[in-house]
Amino acid sequence: MKLSFAAYSNPGNFVRIAAKLLPLLWASTVFAFALGLFGAFSAPPDYQQGETVRIMYIHVPAAWTAMLAYAVMAVSALGSLVWRHPLADASQKAAAPLGATFTFICLVTGSLWGKPMWGTYWVWDARLTSVLVLFLIYLGLIGLWQTIEDPSRAARAVSIMTLVGFINIPIVKFSVDWWNTLHQPASVFRMEGSAIAEPMLWPLIVMALAYTLLFVTLHVMAVRNEIIRRRIRRLSIALVAAGEPGMVCILPAEAMS
């Protein structure tokens, strides 16, 4: 039986589909991390960086996933503003804390790498500064969601700010090409081929896949929880308006069904 895109994007259907997908997603994530970490610790040390190069297998995928999360938010923002779809609102809200977390991991691991390589934990390099700005944008959007109580008004405001903030993504990506920075340029995806040796490249790609799967898994969980949370909120308001506040205590179990 074929289902339309509208049927798949229906919040109620999404909750049911997520329940079936999550075990597979978690299993795939665990397997990818196990394979990636095995490759990361089996890879040879770099001739210049030594064992410090292993930070790359945590740092680089975190940076990629941080930008992926913001791209998901931007697409969801368009869905919220143009089609006013409730699933787009939930997707946007769920992605923000995840993106902030991956950006934080990127900043911390980058600082740990920078100390032995550059002699300092932090420099106001174009790439580092733009990633810090990305982290602050994430925090600002999370704060905006918390400030505005009405979900529809919050979604519109956050959608506009998300699309405005998207201009920082190409700055993060191309900052090493546009300005003379300490941060090394792109090493994996280049026209002339990867600059990373194959024994180091494949664990990096597997770890990037593992991070992506982790983000997708956590995002699906967070969207599902946000849908249930909004359903409970609507039912609570309806029951209070109907003069039955005593029924509110049983809503979580009822909303899950």
Side-chain angles (χ1 to χ4, degrees):
M1 178 180 176
K2 288 187 177 181
L3 292 176
S4 65
F5 174 76
Y8 278 111
S9 60
N10 177 274
N13 288 340
F14 180 89
V15 171
R16 289 187 287 272
I17 294 171
K20 297 177 181 179
L21 281 180
L22 282 172
L24 177 62
L25 286 173
W26 273 119
S28 302
T29 301
V30 171
F31 176 76
F33 266 106
L35 183 61
L37 289 173
F38 172 78
F41 284 102
S42 301
D46 184 73
Y47 77 102
Q48 286 182 322
Q49 303 178 39
E51 298 294 342
T52 310
V53 74
R54 303 194 193 284
I55 299 176
M56 171 184 70
Y57 300 108
I58 304 298
H59 172 72
V60 175
W64 288 349
T65 313
M67 291 190 287
L68 171 64
Y70 203 93
V72 170
M73 288 182 61
V75 173
S76 300
L78 285 174
S80 180
L81 287 174
V82 178
W83 294 285
R84 300 186 182 278
H85 201 289
L87 195 58
D89 295 349
S91 173
Q92 187 179 183
K93 186 176 183 180
L98 298 176
T101 302
F102 284 112
T103 308
F104 180 75
I105 294 172
C106 173
L107 288 169
V108 171
T109 53
S111 296
L112 293 175
W113 179 89
K115 180 61 176 177
M117 293 297 105
W118 296 342
T120 180
Y121 288 109
W122 182 264
V123 291
W124 292 102
D125 175 272
R127 171 61 64 82
L128 275 66
T129 304
S130 57
V131 173
L132 177 61
V133 169
L134 177 62
F135 181 63
L136 296 177
I137 290 174
Y138 273 125
L139 295 183
L141 293 174
I142 294 171
L144 191 57
W145 272 113
Q146 300 297 324
T147 302
I148 304 176
E149 184 175 354
D150 180 62
S152 60
R153 289 181 57 231
R156 287 194 296 272
V158 172
S159 295
I160 294 172
M161 294 304 298
T162 298
L163 293 176
V164 171
F166 187 77
I167 193 174
N168 189 53
I169 296 300
I171 294 176
V172 172
K173 174 69 174 101
F174 298 107
S175 57
V176 292
D177 302 316
W178 293 343
W179 295 286
N180 183 23
T181 68
L182 281 175
H183 197 285
Q184 69 185 64
S187 303
V188 179
F189 300 109
R190 306 190 311 165
M191 293 295 294
E192 58 271 27
S194 174
I196 302 177
E198 187 174 341
M200 297 179 180
L201 179 60
W202 78 260
L204 180 61
I205 293 177
V206 174
M207 285 298 292
L209 175 62
Y211 268 69
T212 302
L213 286 171
L214 178 61
F215 167 74
V216 171
T217 303
L218 295 177
H219 188 241
V220 169
M221 290 181 62
V223 172
R224 179 196 62 180
N225 293 341
E226 180 63 23
I227 291 172
I228 295 172
R229 190 180 300 112
R230 292 184 180 191
R231 185 179 298 175
I232 293 172
R233 181 178 183 273
R234 288 195 300 270
L235 290 175
S236 299
I237 293 174
L239 288 174
V240 171
E244 300 182 17
M247 295 291 293
V248 173
C249 63
I250 67 171
L251 284 180
E254 293 295 327
M256 287 291 290
S257 61

